[in-house]
Amino acid sequence: MLDKFLTPMIKPILAPVVVVLHKRGITADQLTVTGFLIGMLALPLLAFELWYGALAAIALNRIFDGLDGALARHAKQSSSAGGYLDITLDFLFYAAVPLGFILANPEQNAIAGALLLAAFIGTGSSFLAFAIAAEKFKLDKPQFKYKSFYYLNGLTEGTETIALFVAFCIWPEHFVLLASIFATACAITIFTRIHGGYHTLKQLEADAIVGSK
């Protein structure tokens, strides 16, 4: 929900760093993989209840995630392969954070963590499945033209997810409550994406049939 507002604010901040990285021959894919490896450190740190260490790993992961796309565009090296690598590693990272809290306290966090992981599967699959169909119909990307795939909006997007992870690390004792609330918000996102996506594609298919006659 907030991505379309926050992204234009962040891009100018990253620009000077991107220029330096490009001059040093660093590639976007290298940043993607490095950021992923840093982010995955949050899993063991959370499992051992090192909350602020995990918070640092999460923050660095998100910085690298912002830099890789910006660098690819600056170097004119944006590609489907890079977009695929980025989104795949992002979803693996997202799953690692709830898993870390489950491992930290299985008795208390397991159910809420499992619900959140299931919600992530729903938001991720509804997001990516529509992107595949959007590519088939060559849908325009009015709000996220820089993305390598169609970016379907929702109540819970990247900005909200990272805000949740930060809250988890600051108030780990409230993980169950926060995860349950966010899983509910994800359920709303899943419903609106499936409903809106299905009817949008039905209309596009109907228009394509009419247009072919």
Side-chain angles (χ1 to χ4, degrees):
M1 183 174 66
L2 298 177
D3 286 7
K4 61 185 177 182
F5 303 109
L6 190 62
T7 299
M9 298 170 59
I10 294 176
K11 288 172 68 175
I13 299 174
L14 299 178
V17 181
V18 166
V19 172
V20 173
L21 292 172
H22 181 57
K23 288 181 179 178
R24 295 190 176 184
I26 296 172
T27 68
D29 288 350
Q30 289 172 340
L31 289 181
T32 300
V33 174
T34 301
F36 170 71
L37 294 175
I38 293 172
M40 291 303 291
L41 291 175
L43 176 57
L45 290 169
L46 290 170
F48 287 103
E49 302 186 7
L50 300 172
W51 311 124
Y52 289 104
L55 179 58
I58 291 168
L60 285 172
N61 171 273
R62 292 299 86 195
I63 291 171
F64 274 78
D65 186 65
L67 287 171
D68 61 3
L71 178 58
R73 291 186 292 275
H74 175 77
K76 296 181 173 54
Q77 294 176 342
S78 296
S79 67
S80 296
Y84 167 76
L85 181 67
D86 182 52
I87 193 65
T88 301
L89 296 185
D90 273 354
F91 276 109
L92 289 172
F93 162 72
Y94 289 153
V97 175
L99 179 58
F101 278 92
I102 292 172
L103 294 174
N105 191 337
E107 184 176 347
Q108 176 180 305
N109 296 338
I111 294 177
L115 287 173
L116 186 57
L117 285 171
F120 282 174
I121 292 173
T123 55
S125 60
S126 59
F127 172 88
L128 295 174
F130 188 84
I132 294 170
E135 181 65 23
K136 174 184 175 182
F137 287 102
K138 305 298 181 184
L139 292 184
D140 190 24
K141 298 176 283 189
Q143 294 173 333
F144 299 96
K145 291 183 180 296
Y146 57 89
K147 295 288 187 180
S148 56
F149 49 85
Y150 192 93
Y151 198 91
L152 189 62
N153 290 331
L155 181 61
T156 53
E157 298 174 349
T159 301
E160 292 79 12
T161 303
I162 298 309
L164 174 74
F165 290 172
V166 171
F168 281 166
C169 294
I170 296 175
W171 301 291
E173 68 275 15
H174 297 305
F175 172 81
V176 172
L177 175 62
L178 294 170
S180 299
I181 293 173
F182 199 79
T184 302
C186 286
I188 296 172
T189 296
I190 295 166
F191 173 79
T192 56
R193 281 180 175 171
I194 293 175
H195 182 271
Y198 176 80
H199 288 287
T200 297
L201 295 175
K202 288 286 286 186
Q203 185 61 52
L204 288 169
E205 289 171 342
D207 292 345
I209 292 173
V210 172
S212 65
K213 292 181 179 180

